């Protein structure tokens, strides 16, 4: 079943209507203001407490409770609604976006939300330099707004940001040079959530350094005390030894209906599925994400709540051509595609509802094509292609993450072992390279430091560009290839203002991408989440953007 198309797909950017007024959405159940800590088992550590310098879901899960963007998604859905902006609109060209901010919004440090504060955030990102310009730290800014005021690397895309002005105290106007399918969805990204101006001033005193898998995040982002958003919770402690981030209810939150119903929220990292299940069963935690498919019936039988989200993700095996020149040969890429038994992975590793992917987009997104070239599991054909390419003795370093599970990748080590066996079965020598999820794995793959690696994507907003545009609109270190036919097809779709035409262009782009084969799309699956019997859970989001202010105890 297709998910209902969002505003960005239904209407062209050039004619976007004035936005709707968000009403907030608090749970109407449970006792408000419970002082009992709500402990949630997270599959991985956050990378930082500043969401603007991260791109991973575990960081967003934590920071989303404390930081809010100009736009948000409806609770439990993919429709874009007002966030810090009560209303929004664009000009006919889709290059000028006006946001009417809510009155009376305060940051956690007492500062007022104003248009100048909004512009200070956007100008901060645009003027980033040095280490900030690495993909690992400015991933989402570059995906949505391109480069910076002064690009320091020729591979960084040209900036599309054209400035932000405060028309009055509560009206911010953000301009871009060209219309893009990334907007307005990009304004809802957690990485582009709005920080207090006082915090931004403090951030300037503490810069990141390093590169690759040795990035030193700024100190302010590694401890509570400096970061301040406007969300229903404020971050008060990050105990790395106990792998816990603690948040407290923000009493001055602007939305009365959206105020947190629990006083204290704790995200505790428990990196294995079995340990998270046992912690829930023993009462140590009140919920956890990414339930192992084999645990669902057991938990339900014992009375636990195990709802399942809609499918909105892609799991893939990526090649980085710059890191291993053999992958510049199409026969080698095609051989790997035929070598991997994706049906086996889906049957043995994914929950009910999982399916083999034919392209880098789930079939719940408009733009999915039924006409892409398909590749059956065929080890003999894989061997023949390797011989044809002169790569019978191919050796590859295969990166996979540890201490984490992801919505699209329930058991990374097990899935790696299956693919390693498949590759060895056609004569490819595999050198395993396990890496801790954050910051090592995420930063290294983003920086092109792995020859082949496992990763995936849960959509940030409901538009095809959020999938294929993120990876294939131009050169990306994480893929390491340059192919104008692919890039032009994706860019043509992303700049098409007519929604119906854009969907057709997405389909064409998917067909071109699957002919080029930059990697192996493996699967899409519905991730499950579990809660204790005495909990009123937050509404589930297909985007995994749950708002824990909605949670309460029965």
């Amino acid at each position: 079943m297709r998910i209902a198309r969002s505003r960005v797909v239904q209407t062209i950017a050039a004619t976007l209507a004035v936005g709707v007024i968000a009403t907030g959405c608090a749970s109407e159940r449970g006792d408000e203001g419970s002082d009992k800590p709500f402990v949630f088992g997270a599959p991985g550590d956050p990378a930082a407490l500043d969401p603007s310098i991260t791109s991973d879901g575990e960081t967003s899960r934590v920071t989303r409770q404390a930081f809010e963007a100009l736009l948000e998604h409806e609770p439990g859905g993919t429709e874009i609604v007002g966030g810090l902006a009560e209303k929004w609109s664009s000009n006919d060209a889709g290059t000028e976006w006006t946001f009417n901010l809510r009155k009376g919004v305060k940051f956690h440090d007492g500062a007022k939300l104003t248009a100048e504060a909004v512009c200070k955030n956007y100008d901060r990102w645009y003027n980033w330099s040095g280490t900030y310009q690495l993909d690992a730290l400015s991933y989402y800014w570059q995906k949505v707004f391109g480069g910076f005021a002064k690009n320091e690397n020729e591979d960084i895309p040209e900036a599309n940001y054209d400035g932000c002005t405060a028309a009055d105290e509560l009206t911010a106007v953000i301009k871009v040079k060209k219309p893009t399918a990334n907007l307005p969805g990009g304004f809802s990204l957690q990485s582009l959530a709005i920080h207090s101006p006082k915090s931004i001033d403090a951030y300037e005193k503490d810069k990141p350094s390093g590169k690759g898998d040795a990035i030193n995040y700024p100190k302010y982002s590694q401890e509570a005390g400096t970061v301040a958003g406007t969300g229903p919770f404020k971050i008060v402690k990050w105990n790395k030894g106990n792998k816990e981030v603690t948040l407290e209810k923000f009493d001055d939150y602007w939305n009365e209906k959206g105020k947190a119903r629990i006083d204290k929220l704790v995200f505790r990292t428990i990196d294995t599925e079995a340990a998270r299940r046992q912690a829930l069963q023993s009462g140590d935690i009140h919920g956890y994400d990414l339930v192992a498919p084999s645990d669902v019936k057991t938990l339900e039988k014992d009375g636990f709540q195990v709802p399942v989200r809609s499918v909105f993700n892609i799991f893939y095996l990526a090649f980085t051509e710059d890191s291993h020149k053999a992958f510049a040969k199409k026969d080698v890429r095609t051989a790997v595609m035929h070598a991997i038994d994706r049906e086996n992975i889906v049957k043995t590793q994914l929950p009910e509802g999982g399916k083999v992917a034919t392209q880098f987009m789930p079939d719940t997104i408009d733009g999915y094509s039924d006409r892409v070239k398909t590749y059956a599991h065929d080890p003999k054909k894989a061997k023949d292609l390797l011989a044809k390419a002169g790569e019978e003795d191919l050796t590859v370093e295969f990166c996979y993450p540890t201490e984490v599970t992801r919505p699209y990748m329930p058991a990374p080590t097990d899935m790696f072992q299956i693919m390693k066996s498949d590759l060895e079965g056609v004569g490819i020598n595999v050198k395993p390279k396990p890496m801790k999820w954050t910051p090592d794995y995420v930063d290294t793959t983003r920086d092109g430091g792995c020859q082949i690696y496992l990763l995936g994507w849960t959509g940030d907003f409901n538009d095809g560009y959020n999938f294929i545009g993120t990876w294939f609109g131009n050169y990306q270190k994480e893929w390491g290839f340059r192919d104008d036919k692919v890039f032009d097809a994706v860019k043509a779709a992303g700049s098409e203002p007519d929604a119906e035409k854009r969907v057709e262009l997405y389909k064409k782009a998917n067909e071109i991408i699957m002919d080029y084969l930059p990697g192996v799309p493996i699967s899409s699956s519905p991730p499950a989440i579990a809660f204790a019997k005495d909990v009123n859970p937050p509404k589930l989001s297909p985007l995994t953007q749950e708002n824990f202010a909605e949670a309460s105890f029965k």
Side-chain angles (χ1 to χ4, degrees):
M1 183 180 73
R2 288 181 183 274
I3 293 173
R5 292 191 300 180
S6 71
R7 182 184 308 275
V8 68
V9 174
Q10 292 173 325
T11 59
I12 59 174
T15 58
L16 272 172
V18 173
V20 298
I21 300 174
T23 57
C25 186
S27 167
E28 296 299 324
R29 305 160 295 178
D31 298 327
E32 186 170 356
S34 171
D35 58 1
K36 179 180 175 183
F38 187 106
V39 184
F40 189 82
D45 293 326
L49 300 181
D50 175 358
S52 63
I53 59 173
T54 66
S55 59
D56 69 290
E58 292 313 320
T59 298
S60 296
R61 188 200 304 277
V62 173
T63 63
R64 187 177 307 284
Q65 318 308 321
F67 290 89
E68 296 173 305
L70 292 172
L71 305 180
E72 303 285 347
H73 288 95
E74 61 176 338
T78 60
E79 188 76 11
I80 291 178
V81 298
L84 291 178
E86 186 175 25
K87 298 178 182 177
W88 74 97
S89 61
S90 71
N91 65 355
D92 289 344
T95 56
E96 183 174 303
W97 295 84
T98 300
F99 297 92
N100 302 110
L101 305 179
R102 298 180 187 279
K103 298 179 182 177
V105 178
K106 289 183 179 179
F107 290 96
H108 300 154
D109 58 10
K112 290 171 56 179
L113 173 71
T114 64
E116 288 187 355
V118 170
C119 291
K120 187 163 185 163
N121 278 265
Y122 276 81
D123 288 343
R124 174 199 176 212
W125 301 320
Y126 176 59
N127 286 291
W128 266 342
S129 61
T131 305
Y132 277 124
Q133 293 198 6
L134 296 179
D135 263 1
L137 276 82
S138 51
Y139 189 78
Y140 274 113
W141 173 264
Q142 292 191 46
K143 301 306 176 194
V144 178
F145 289 102
F148 306 93
K150 295 181 180 178
N151 285 352
E152 297 174 10
N153 184 313
E154 62 181 11
D155 289 328
I156 295 174
E158 182 183 351
N160 195 31
Y161 178 75
D162 198 28
C164 176
T165 56
D168 59 42
E169 184 180 13
L170 292 176
T171 304
V173 180
I174 297 174
K175 294 181 179 179
V176 293
K177 297 173 183 174
K178 300 175 182 177
T180 168
N182 273 322
L183 300 177
F187 293 120
S188 72
L189 292 173
Q190 177 60 193
S191 290
L192 301 183
I194 304 302
H195 298 234
S196 162
K198 294 180 182 177
S199 295
I200 292 176
D201 289 340
Y203 299 168
E204 292 302 310
K205 301 172 184 174
D206 187 10
K207 301 292 179 65
S209 61
K211 62 182 179 179
D213 61 355
I215 290 176
N216 299 307
Y217 283 82
K219 185 179 178 183
Y220 79 81
S221 73
Q222 300 299 300
E223 58 188 23
T226 304
V227 298
T230 59
F233 290 98
K234 54 186 178 182
I235 300 171
V236 297
K237 188 176 183 179
W238 187 0
N239 186 328
K240 292 191 176 182
N242 290 344
K243 301 174 84 67
E244 289 184 350
V245 179
T246 301
L247 300 92
E248 291 180 354
K249 178 181 179 180
F250 180 42
D251 290 329
D252 289 334
Y253 185 56
W254 58 270
N255 183 356
E256 281 296 324
K257 292 183 178 180
K259 282 190 173 182
R261 292 177 172 270
I262 48 180
D263 286 342
K264 184 177 290 186
L265 172 64
V266 177
F267 289 101
R268 178 183 301 163
T269 301
I270 305 174
D271 54 34
T272 70
E273 295 166 311
R276 290 197 296 276
R277 172 178 51 78
Q278 291 164 3
L280 181 68
Q281 291 172 320
S282 65
D284 290 340
I285 62 176
H286 303 101
Y288 74 91
D289 205 353
L290 310 184
V291 179
S294 58
D295 290 337
V296 172
K297 290 185 178 178
T298 299
L299 289 170
E300 288 179 335
K301 185 179 179 181
D302 291 342
F304 293 98
Q305 306 171 77
V306 194
V308 177
R309 303 182 181 93
S310 303
V311 176
F312 212 70
N313 58 44
I314 280 289
F315 173 47
Y316 58 81
L317 171 68
F319 313 135
T320 308
E321 293 184 24
D322 281 347
S323 293
H324 198 314
K325 296 303 180 186
F327 290 115
K329 301 177 182 179
K330 185 174 181 180
D331 285 338
V332 172
R333 301 195 301 273
T334 308
V336 173
M337 187 78 183
H338 284 298
I340 302 296
D341 187 351
R342 294 174 291 160
E343 189 71 37
N344 178 45
I345 293 170
V346 170
K347 286 182 178 177
T348 62
Q349 301 296 313
L350 296 179
E352 186 175 348
K355 59 181 68 174
V356 172
T358 62
Q359 55 208 280
F360 289 88
M361 180 186 290
D363 62 5
T364 49
I365 301 289
D366 290 315
Y368 177 91
S369 174
D370 294 324
R371 301 187 299 270
V372 298
K373 187 174 181 179
T374 56
Y375 303 83
H377 177 227
D378 190 339
K380 181 181 183 304
K381 193 168 186 178
K383 291 179 181 177
D384 291 344
L385 286 166
L386 289 171
K388 181 183 174 186
E391 298 287 354
E392 297 96 325
D393 298 320
L394 180 63
T395 297
V396 298
E397 188 176 73
F398 193 154
C399 300
Y400 67 97
T402 63
E403 301 182 38
V404 75
T405 52
R406 305 302 308 133
Y408 43 79
M409 183 168 52
T413 301
D414 293 344
M415 298 168 108
F416 160 76
Q417 290 294 348
I418 290 173
M419 282 183 257
K420 175 175 179 287
S421 177
D422 286 343
L423 294 175
E424 291 175 339
V426 301
I428 298 175
N429 301 307
V430 175
K431 291 183 176 179
K433 188 175 181 180
M435 303 175 73
K436 187 175 183 294
W437 174 248
T438 55
D440 302 351
Y441 191 78
V442 175
D443 290 351
T444 301
T445 56
R446 293 277 191 256
D447 201 44
C450 289
Q451 295 178 354
I452 59 173
Y453 61 93
L454 301 179
L455 206 58
W457 186 265
T458 299
D460 298 297
F461 50 87
N462 191 6
D463 188 279
Y465 204 75
N466 187 238
F467 285 85
I468 60 175
T470 300
W471 305 308
F472 307 130
N474 50 32
Y475 171 81
Q476 304 286 332
K477 281 187 174 181
E478 59 192 300
W479 300 93
F481 76 93
R482 301 173 193 272
D483 187 273
D484 288 341
K485 189 175 181 182
V486 171
F487 297 164
D488 290 347
V490 174
K491 283 190 285 192
S495 60
E496 172 55 57
D498 183 276
E500 291 187 5
K501 290 181 180 177
R502 190 161 71 224
V503 167
E504 292 305 311
L505 289 171
Y506 284 145
K507 292 179 180 178
K508 183 63 178 177
N510 277 318
E511 292 154 21
I512 291 172
I513 291 166
M514 287 311 295
D515 183 64
Y516 181 84
L517 275 187
V520 180
I522 296 171
S523 57
S524 294
S525 58
I529 189 170
F531 291 97
K533 304 168 189 175
D534 64 341
V535 164
N536 293 313
K539 288 185 178 178
L540 295 195
S541 164
L543 310 171
T544 65
Q545 298 178 359
E546 284 79 24
N547 175 6
F548 281 80
E550 298 173 356
S552 63
F553 293 105
K554 293 180 179 176

